[in-house]
Amino acid sequence: AIEGILAVIDSIARRCQTSTDSGGSPRRLPPPPLSETSSILSDSDTDSELGYQADHGSLENNTTSTAWETASSVEAQMVLQQRKRKKLWMATVASEFNRKPVGKEWVQIAQQSNLLPTPITADAVAHFLFSTPNLDKTQMGIYLSQGPASKYPFHEQVRTAFVSLFDFEGMAFSEALRKFLLRFRLPGEAQCIDRLMEAFSIRLYEQQKEGNMSPFKSADGAFVLAFSTIMLNTDLHNPTIKDERRMTLGQFIRNNRGINDGEDLPLEFLTDLYTKIKENEIQVKKELSDVVHRNSMEGREIHSSQWDGLLSKSDQVSKPFFTPADAARRTVFQAGVHERDMFLAISKSATRCISSVFSRTFDDVLVVKALKGFRQMVKICVYFDLDETLNDIFTILLDHGRDYIMNCIVLNYADYHDGIGNNGEPDDDWDEEYDAEPQLLKESPIPDLSAASKLTEADEAMRHY
């Protein structure tokens, strides 16, 4: 463990150098490839709307190594740091939303973190629900289906804005409905389903009414068929319903007669819709984290089919990016924001670990490595202006030095005053000198840093042992 910590510290310390240390301007490695998640977090319009002031469009448009080296390093680091903070805040707000979606707590946290504007707008909330990962699908359905409009006017505005983010142009009815229902889970109440299907049908009809692409004469026909399709999906794929009692094609066609402004929909259209729903159930897109949490609560193992959601996201994640070893050795690049965050994350644990090894080991090699590790940590602290961490390291070093000097004094007294007089008999003055030793140590100019040093539980256990 100590070797791994020292290796990380050594790697960061070697990058904490100015241009004069390396003999010129430090070179930089090429950037890792961007992924779909990176594009979401780096949306310039969204960043501007959410209060992120860094202009990083030039960095995203220039993804070659030459462009990266010529771009501003400070700008790049700040942009990546903002993305990191934004991702952490999104996870915090999502957790609060999953706990109580109808409450105002998650909205307040989102406004404090600049994820939502103040005052709040329906478009901003709709965009947040549409693009934020790890939101509970059931809770999203509850929030979006709140009504009636007279009692929850803001939720109606969010629902309308949320549906407007979908693009149904050129899609078949079943594909459009499937795409819409992948984003959330339908609530159980019929009135809530009505509100969602009504918003869906209006959006679908507006996008497909031109060019004779839609078989519907109005949004009302699309609304009735959408609700009927939901009932068909439940009837065909509910395991509690026997096969002989499931809805047939003829029953589905009869149920949808005259729904298109008093006229029937084309028979081929309804037949194709029934076949697609029967062969492929409409399901909610589940997050793997939700599956793991619920299965762990119920004491069940994760089925292999439940990993499909993770595998299907492979196109949204960038390919593994590793710097070749020879390129890393030849390239000297200066430490930045990421190295600073990494060091702050491990500094306290690393300090305790190195201090414990330094005080307990009898191996001279480990002692030298521990001292080198402390020296490199001091260099990193000076480079990043981490005064608090630097003070902690100096406190530990001074504490070890104080203990060493005190032990040397005790050993010196033991060597010169072993309790035996010149004639071989016990020296009566030894007891007085021994009793005076603590007073001598107390009067020594060595500062008392025992209150400043913090021992770990392992240190306390070893002391009592």
Side-chain angles (χ1 to χ4, degrees):
I2 186 65
E3 296 289 345
I5 294 176
L6 293 176
V8 174
I9 295 175
D10 177 72
S11 176
I12 299 175
R14 284 188 287 107
R15 304 174 189 178
C16 295
Q17 55 184 346
T18 61
S19 58
T20 56
D21 296 333
S22 57
S25 300
R27 300 172 58 192
R28 293 179 174 83
L29 295 174
L34 296 177
S35 64
E36 182 176 337
T37 305
S38 301
S39 63
I40 293 176
L41 294 177
S42 61
D43 189 344
S44 58
D45 295 336
T46 304
D47 287 351
S48 176
E49 181 180 352
L50 299 180
Y52 294 99
Q53 303 299 329
D55 180 15
H56 52 275
S58 59
L59 295 179
E60 292 182 350
N61 296 331
N62 301 323
T63 56
T64 62
S65 60
T66 303
W68 177 265
E69 292 176 359
T70 58
S72 172
S73 175
V74 176
E75 180 186 2
Q77 292 177 358
M78 291 302 298
V79 168
L80 295 176
Q81 187 73 356
Q82 288 172 353
R83 293 183 189 177
K84 181 179 179 181
R85 292 197 188 101
K86 182 177 178 181
K87 189 174 181 179
L88 292 175
W89 277 115
M90 289 173 67
T92 303
V93 177
S95 177
E96 184 63 28
F97 176 87
N98 296 339
R99 188 184 67 85
K100 191 176 181 181
V102 187
K104 298 181 179 180
E105 290 80 4
W106 71 272
V107 177
Q108 296 174 354
I109 298 176
Q111 289 177 327
Q112 293 173 1
S113 57
N114 292 330
L115 294 177
L116 291 177
T118 304
I120 190 125
T121 62
D123 292 337
V125 174
H127 192 278
F128 176 82
L129 297 177
F130 190 85
S131 59
T132 302
N134 298 326
L135 292 178
D136 189 89
K137 307 302 182 184
T138 303
Q139 303 290 43
M140 284 186 62
I142 294 175
Y143 183 87
L144 293 171
S145 63
Q146 285 292 307
S150 58
K151 187 177 180 180
Y152 299 95
F154 184 77
H155 287 78
E156 183 188 18
Q157 297 173 9
V158 173
R159 183 166 57 249
T160 303
F162 181 82
V163 177
S164 66
L165 298 175
F166 289 89
D167 184 12
F168 300 135
E169 188 174 356
M171 300 181 64
F173 179 83
S174 61
E175 296 176 355
L177 183 60
R178 195 182 304 274
K179 180 180 180 179
F180 180 64
L181 296 179
L182 281 177
R183 289 286 179 173
F184 58 89
R185 183 185 298 276
L186 281 174
E189 298 182 7
Q191 293 180 348
C192 297
I193 299 177
D194 283 346
R195 300 184 189 103
L196 292 170
M197 292 300 101
E198 181 182 6
F200 163 77
S201 60
I202 294 175
R203 176 64 174 175
L204 178 69
Y205 179 75
E206 289 179 350
Q207 286 192 311
Q208 297 187 356
K209 64 181 179 180
E210 298 179 0
N212 297 324
M213 296 181 57
S214 174
F216 302 104
K217 293 185 175 182
S218 66
D220 294 337
F223 165 70
V224 176
L225 184 61
F227 197 90
S228 178
T229 305
I230 296 299
M231 296 177 60
L232 174 66
N233 183 78
T234 304
D235 186 89
L236 292 180
H237 299 283
N238 191 339
T240 61
I241 299 178
K242 298 181 179 180
D243 293 340
E244 59 271 13
R245 297 181 62 86
R246 299 187 186 277
M247 186 182 301
T248 63
L249 175 60
Q251 292 174 340
F252 178 69
I253 295 175
R254 286 195 301 270
N255 292 340
N256 294 281
R257 286 178 179 174
I259 65 173
N260 194 19
D261 286 354
E263 299 181 4
D264 294 341
L265 290 168
L267 182 62
E268 297 79 6
F269 175 78
L270 294 177
T271 303
D272 181 69
L273 177 60
Y274 179 90
T275 303
K276 289 181 178 179
I277 298 301
K278 184 177 181 179
E279 294 178 352
N280 187 11
E281 178 186 4
I282 298 178
Q283 293 181 333
V284 178
K285 185 179 179 181
K286 299 179 180 179
E287 297 289 345
L288 183 62
S289 58
D290 298 337
V291 175
V292 173
H293 175 71
R294 291 175 182 175
N295 287 3
S296 62
M297 294 292 292
E298 298 175 4
R300 296 183 300 171
E301 296 183 358
I302 301 177
H303 193 267
S304 59
S305 62
Q306 294 172 336
W307 291 96
D308 294 342
L310 179 63
L311 297 177
S312 63
K313 291 185 178 181
S314 58
D315 57 341
Q316 303 178 9
V317 182
S318 60
K319 300 299 181 182
F321 179 81
F322 301 100
T323 303
D326 55 345
R329 285 191 292 266
R330 293 195 307 267
T331 306
V332 179
F333 60 100
Q334 198 168 357
V337 177
H338 300 294
E339 286 79 10
R340 181 179 185 274
D341 290 346
M342 180 183 296
F343 179 73
L344 287 176
I346 68 171
S347 59
K348 292 185 178 180
S349 300
T351 303
R352 291 195 299 265
C353 179
I354 298 175
S355 174
S356 179
V357 171
F358 178 78
S359 60
R360 296 178 184 178
T361 185
F362 294 97
D363 189 348
D364 293 340
V365 176
L366 285 179
V367 171
V368 173
K369 289 183 177 181
L371 291 175
K372 181 181 178 182
F374 277 130
R375 185 181 65 180
Q376 291 176 332
M377 292 183 69
V378 170
K379 178 182 178 181
I380 297 172
C381 291
V382 172
Y383 181 83
F384 289 120
D385 294 330
L386 303 177
D387 295 338
E388 183 178 354
T389 306
L390 182 63
N391 292 335
D392 294 339
I393 297 175
F394 281 151
T395 300
I396 292 176
L397 291 175
L398 290 174
D399 193 24
H400 284 305
R402 176 180 181 276
D403 292 341
Y404 175 78
I405 295 176
M406 292 177 63
N407 291 333
C408 290
I409 294 175
V410 173
L411 292 176
N412 287 335
Y413 271 88
D415 291 338
Y416 291 103
H417 304 280
D418 55 1
I420 305 297
N422 296 330
N423 54 0
E425 295 182 357
D427 190 356
D428 295 336
D429 297 335
W430 163 250
D431 293 339
E432 296 180 0
E433 294 177 356
Y434 182 81
D435 294 338
E437 180 182 331
Q439 184 65 26
L440 176 63
L441 296 179
K442 186 179 300 184
E443 296 174 356
S444 63
I446 303 173
D448 185 9
L449 300 178
S450 59
S453 63
K454 298 180 180 179
L455 297 176
T456 61
E457 296 181 358
D459 294 328
E460 291 288 350
M462 290 298 296
R463 171 174 290 187
H464 291 300
Y465 180 77

